[in-house]
């Protein structure tokens, strides 16, 4: 659980996007299943209300299992390229805006209100779970949400999460034949509502198709931009939007990428985030561990 023996080389390698080496072995850590688990879906009158509810639930210290806390890995490219798809084992990203909910309804055959939505899951002892549910329901109502219906059986909960796990394909289905690019930023929780609302306004002003999803419990969210790669003007709008989004996150005290990485497309943003001294330090580490520049050359740095 603890160690203080030198630098954290594991995190260094895992976070290096393949520029320092590759992993040959992984250790699986098992955790006990909770005594009781319950999941629910809550619709809100606005994006701000949904995100504000998340912030308040976290500030109230409700021990949420899933409310936008990414508990798995999401497949994708942080560079200016194409997002291949989400891992179907990813148990994360519980915020969906109205565009994403509408897309999921069509793709997954759901009948949810097409408005900003949170998917939440709580767990603990049976007694503790009941208290958590009551506290969560009060916060949801305060933010204009409805009374909640809880799914406690595994099959019911998996049906709710299946919709979210298909979100990438649901987004692509909005414009058949087009391609997708996933943005990825992370900001402090206190700034999240404002940043999400500003990003939503930017999306609409840009005329882009970009459903929003988010691991909002971590301050991390994504716009899944669906565009015609054969249309240079639209592709340029996508690129310009992603750069503005990255800089908006930096201005809010956040990061230009919470999980997808820097790749090729965010190298300029990496310099803005770390500064020249920080970038030079990364380059010295790269040169020390990969002196022949064999590992993913040209990426990140």
């Amino acid at each position: 659980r603890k160690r203080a023996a030198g630098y954290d080389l594991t995190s260094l390698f895992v976070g290096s996007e393949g520029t320092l080496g590759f992993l040959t072995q992984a250790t699986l850590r098992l955790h006990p299943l909770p005594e009781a688990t319950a999941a629910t879906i809550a619709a809100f009158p606005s994006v701000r209300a949904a995100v504000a509810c998340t912030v308040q639930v976290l500030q109230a210290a409700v021990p949420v299992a899933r409310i936008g806390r990414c508990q798995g890995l999401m497949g994708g490219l942080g560079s200016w390229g194409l997002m291949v798809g989400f891992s179907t084992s990813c148990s994360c990203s519980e915020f969906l805006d109205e565009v994403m909910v509408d897309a999921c309804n069509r793709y997954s055959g759901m009948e949810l209100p097409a408005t900003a939505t949170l998917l939440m899951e709580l767990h603990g002892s049976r007694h503790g779970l009941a208290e958590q549910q009551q506290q969560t329901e009060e916060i949801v109502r305060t933010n204009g949400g409805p009374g909640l219906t809880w799914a406690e059986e595994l099959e019911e909960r998996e049906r709710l999460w299946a919709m979210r796990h298909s979100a990438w394909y649901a987004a692509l289905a909005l414009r058949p034949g087009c391609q997708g690019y996933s943005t990825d930023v992370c900001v402090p929780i206190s700034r999240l509502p404002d940043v999400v609302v500003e990003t939503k306004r930017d999306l609409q002003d840009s005329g882009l198709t970009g459903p929003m999803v988010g691991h909002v419990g971590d301050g991390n969210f994504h716009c899944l931009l669906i565009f015609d790669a054969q249309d240079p003007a639209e592709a340029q709008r996508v690129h310009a939007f992603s750069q503005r989004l990255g800089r908006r996150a930096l201005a809010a005290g956040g990061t230009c990428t919470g999980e997808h990485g820097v790749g090729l497309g965010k190298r300029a943003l990496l310099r803005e985030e770390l500064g020249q001294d920080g970038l030079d330090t990364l380059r010295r580490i790269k040169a020390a561990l990969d002196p022949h520049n064999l590992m993913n050359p040209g990426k990140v740095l």
Side-chain angles (χ1 to χ4, degrees):
R1 290 183 180 273
K2 297 172 65 176
R3 62 176 297 167
Y7 298 143
D8 188 349
L9 296 179
T10 299
S11 294
L12 180 65
F13 269 77
V14 170
S16 73
E17 301 186 59
T19 61
L20 296 181
F22 53 88
L23 304 181
T24 61
Q25 181 176 334
T27 299
L28 178 64
R29 178 179 296 173
L30 300 179
H31 296 271
L33 292 174
E35 179 184 358
T37 305
T40 191
I41 294 180
F44 292 86
S46 68
V47 166
R48 181 181 290 277
V51 178
C53 179
T54 299
V55 174
Q56 292 167 26
V57 167
L58 295 174
Q59 290 174 337
V62 177
V64 183
R66 308 189 205 183
I67 187 170
R69 293 184 179 275
C70 185
Q71 297 173 323
L73 296 177
M74 179 186 294
L77 304 179
S79 60
W80 174 242
L82 301 181
M83 178 83 170
V84 178
F86 292 106
S87 165
T88 56
S89 63
C90 179
S91 302
C92 55
S93 190
E94 288 82 355
F95 164 71
L96 300 86
D97 74 350
E98 74 280 1
V99 181
M100 190 73 260
V101 173
D102 182 57
C104 287
N105 279 340
R106 300 184 194 184
Y107 187 83
S108 300
M110 304 291 284
E111 296 182 353
L112 300 176
T115 185
T117 297
L118 287 180
L119 284 75
M120 294 178 281
E121 187 167 286
L122 311 176
H123 64 197
S125 67
R126 294 202 173 277
H127 177 71
L129 180 62
E131 293 182 348
Q132 296 170 31
Q133 288 172 299
Q134 181 180 357
Q135 192 174 8
T136 301
E137 289 171 3
E138 291 174 357
I139 296 173
V140 168
R141 283 196 297 270
T142 299
N143 288 278
L148 301 179
T149 300
W150 296 90
E152 298 191 11
E153 297 300 323
L154 178 60
E155 185 176 339
E156 293 180 88
R157 290 187 283 113
E158 288 184 340
R159 185 177 65 85
L160 294 181
W161 292 113
M163 175 193 71
R164 167 58 191 97
H165 295 159
S166 299
W168 174 251
Y169 306 105
L172 286 176
L174 289 173
R175 296 182 65 183
C178 288
Q179 295 178 333
Y181 172 69
S182 179
T183 65
D184 162 46
V185 296
C186 191
V187 300
I189 289 294
S190 62
R191 297 297 308 276
L192 185 63
D194 288 339
V195 172
V196 169
V197 169
E198 290 170 18
T199 301
K200 184 73 174 175
R201 187 181 304 119
D202 191 2
L203 265 176
Q204 294 169 341
D205 292 344
S206 301
L208 295 171
T209 301
M212 294 178 67
V213 298
H215 316 303
V216 286
D218 292 327
N220 185 206
F221 70 93
H222 313 272
C223 300
L224 312 183
L225 303 173
I226 313 302
F227 70 104
D228 182 358
Q230 303 305 313
D231 182 345
E234 185 177 19
Q236 179 56 38
R237 293 205 312 276
V238 168
H239 177 67
F241 170 84
S242 68
Q243 296 295 302
R244 288 195 303 274
L245 176 58
R247 293 188 171 98
R248 184 178 302 120
L250 295 180
T255 175
C256 66
T257 175
E259 59 190 14
H260 292 177
V262 173
L264 290 172
K266 291 188 175 181
R267 288 186 295 184
L269 292 173
L270 180 66
R271 183 181 299 108
E272 294 176 29
E273 180 170 336
L274 299 183
Q276 192 59 50
D277 288 345
L279 206 57
D280 289 344
T281 300
L282 296 187
R283 289 190 172 120
R284 287 194 289 272
I285 294 173
K286 167 72 168 170
L289 297 180
D290 181 20
H292 300 295
N293 195 29
L294 299 177
M295 299 296 174
N296 220 0
K299 300 292 181 66
V300 183
L301 302 175

